[in-house]
Structures are given as C-alpha cells and as structure tokens.
Amino acid sequence: MTDKSRAAIGARLEPGEQIIWTGAPEREVMLKSLGKRKPSRVLNVAIIAIIGSIVWSQREQLGQLQVGGLSGDTALPVPLLALAGFTALILFLRHKQYTGHVDQLAYGITDRRVLILHKGKVLDERSPDQMKWVELRDRPGAEGYSDIIWETRRISTSTGDSQTTALEREQARIGFKALRDGRAVFERIERWRASHGAAASAAAEATLEAMKSEAKEGSEVPRLAHPRLGLSIATPP
C-alpha cells in the first residue's frame, strides 16, 4: 500500500514540491472500527424481526415455497426468503461502501503541506500555518494503532448523532488514521510544523531588518561642506 500511496501523492505534487512521507490506514483496523455500528445494527435487526414475524404469521395467505425438500408447516414463505436476500444484499453493499472508502485512501506529507486523498482526489490539504492544532489519539479497540487528528467537523443530521453511520462519524474526524507508526508520523509532523515556523520567523526578521535599512538610507540628507571653514549645510535631494 505504501507504493500505491506514494504514487497517488506523487501525482498531486506541485512543481518543486518534495515528498517527506506517505502512508495509508491499516485496512483491517479501519474496517473493524467501521463495523461497530451498534445503534443502526440493533435497529436493523428489530425491523427485520418485526417484518419477518408479520410475514410468517401470514404464510398461509401468502403461499409457500418448497425449499430443500421441506414441506407443510416447515416450508419457508417466499416473502421471507426475499426479505432475507434483500437484507443480505444491503449488508453486502454497505460493506463494499466501507471497504471501497478505506482502500482508496492515501496520506502524505510534503515540504509544503499534508494531504489526504481518496481515489486520487484531494479530500483535505493543510499548510503548516493552516494547522492550528494536531493531536495523537489511540485508536479505540486497536492496540498499537493511533490516529493523528487536526480537525473535528460537526455532523449535520436531523435524526441525531445516534443515527449517524460509522462512516459519517469517521469522516468527521480529519487526519491520518489507523496508523501503526502513528507516534513517529506525529513527531515528524511536529518537526515539520516547527521548522516552517522557524523559517517563517527568520524570513519575517530578515524582511524587517531590510525595511529598517532602507528607511535609514532613505533618511540621510545630502550635505555640502566648505573645504576651508569646515562647515556643512543640508541640500535637498
């Protein structure tokens, strides 16, 4: 994945920009976190149980399908089989949504900015002065893995936070996630920010000194001296 991430980041470089580090989230760790959708899972199970109970209670009116040699009272109703198939399809598509999101992520640090890409497109980019804060956080339920977060966005939903998906909650935290070497990457970012801060301060001081020097030179008024008397008078430029 490192080579894939490096290629993705490399394709987004500006002229003269240099790569410092590239990486990607650990797939299984990220998917494990995305799979913990307790509120929505309970809700899904409850709905399926209710619908299944209604369908089963009306099996005589709805008609029955012989499955695997089963007959009579043990036969499964066609609507219940259709419901099971539909539910399996929904769960499969949701899993593909999560895996597709994780597999297409790439992280990068260059000499100018940090980058988060998805399918080669920039999801987030920050220059050092745009990063107001950076935090290293342990990845919940994944010992040895950590996240580097520099922004938390509010999730806009009309049903409340309990109904948001795990993917929405994950996307609200902006940064590099599910990294095994998270602390090393975090320290690299801190050095990167510090070096840019020092360079900016040095540049500001140099500019200030240059302005002072120009002002001093511009304030000097030409003077005309008398060779014998030793007197001098200011002359307009």
Side-chain angles (χ1 to χ4, degrees):
M1 187 65 184
T2 301
D3 292 340
K4 183 179 178 181
S5 300
R6 190 173 187 84
I9 296 297
R12 304 295 304 189
L13 294 180
E14 299 173 348
E17 190 173 13
Q18 300 294 319
I19 292 177
I20 297 175
W21 173 88
T22 60
E26 187 69 29
R27 186 176 191 269
E28 296 306 319
V29 171
M30 195 80 157
L31 290 178
K32 179 181 178 182
S33 299
L34 292 176
K36 295 180 179 178
R37 304 182 301 278
K38 293 181 181 179
S40 58
R41 178 176 295 178
V42 172
L43 182 61
N44 290 340
V45 171
I47 292 175
I48 292 171
I50 293 171
I51 295 176
S53 298
I54 294 173
V55 172
W56 184 253
S57 67
Q58 301 297 319
R59 62 187 182 280
E60 292 183 359
Q61 289 76 17
L62 294 173
Q64 297 178 336
L65 175 69
Q66 302 291 332
V67 178
L70 298 177
S71 61
D73 293 337
T74 60
L76 296 176
V78 174
L80 187 58
L81 290 175
L83 176 63
F86 178 74
T87 303
L89 177 61
I90 293 298
L91 294 176
F92 173 76
L93 292 177
R94 178 170 289 184
H95 179 73
K96 289 292 290 182
Q97 177 191 16
Y98 290 162
T99 56
H101 174 76
V102 173
D103 290 343
Q104 297 296 330
L105 285 172
Y107 303 149
I109 305 172
T110 76
D111 57 342
R112 301 178 187 175
R113 52 188 172 151
V114 295
L115 287 162
I116 301 177
L117 305 184
H118 182 254
K119 295 183 179 179
K121 297 182 179 179
V122 177
L123 284 184
D124 193 76
E125 61 178 332
R126 306 288 171 102
S127 62
D129 58 333
Q130 290 175 325
M131 301 181 75
K132 305 305 180 184
W133 56 271
V134 184
E135 290 184 2
L136 178 68
R137 303 176 183 176
D138 292 334
R139 185 79 181 175
E143 186 177 356
Y145 290 86
S146 52
D147 301 339
I148 302 169
I149 306 299
W150 52 76
E151 182 183 351
T152 301
R153 296 174 181 170
R154 180 171 180 154
I155 302 174
S156 178
T157 173
S158 59
T159 56
D161 184 68
S162 63
Q163 300 301 319
T164 61
T165 67
L167 184 57
E168 288 174 330
R169 292 192 294 273
E170 190 70 69
Q171 290 175 331
R173 301 184 310 116
I174 312 302
F176 298 160
K177 303 169 191 173
L179 300 179
R180 179 180 289 277
D181 57 343
R183 178 163 295 279
V185 178
F186 173 75
E187 291 174 353
R188 187 188 295 269
I189 290 177
E190 288 292 82
R191 291 195 301 269
W192 172 74
R193 294 176 68 208
S195 66
H196 276 266
S201 297
E205 290 181 7
T207 301
L208 182 60
E209 289 299 322
M211 293 175 63
K212 288 181 178 179
S213 178
E214 290 176 0
K216 183 178 180 181
E217 292 176 358
S219 65
E220 293 182 357
V221 180
R223 306 183 71 85
L224 181 63
H226 192 284
R228 288 188 298 170
L229 299 179
L231 300 176
S232 64
I233 58 173
T235 60

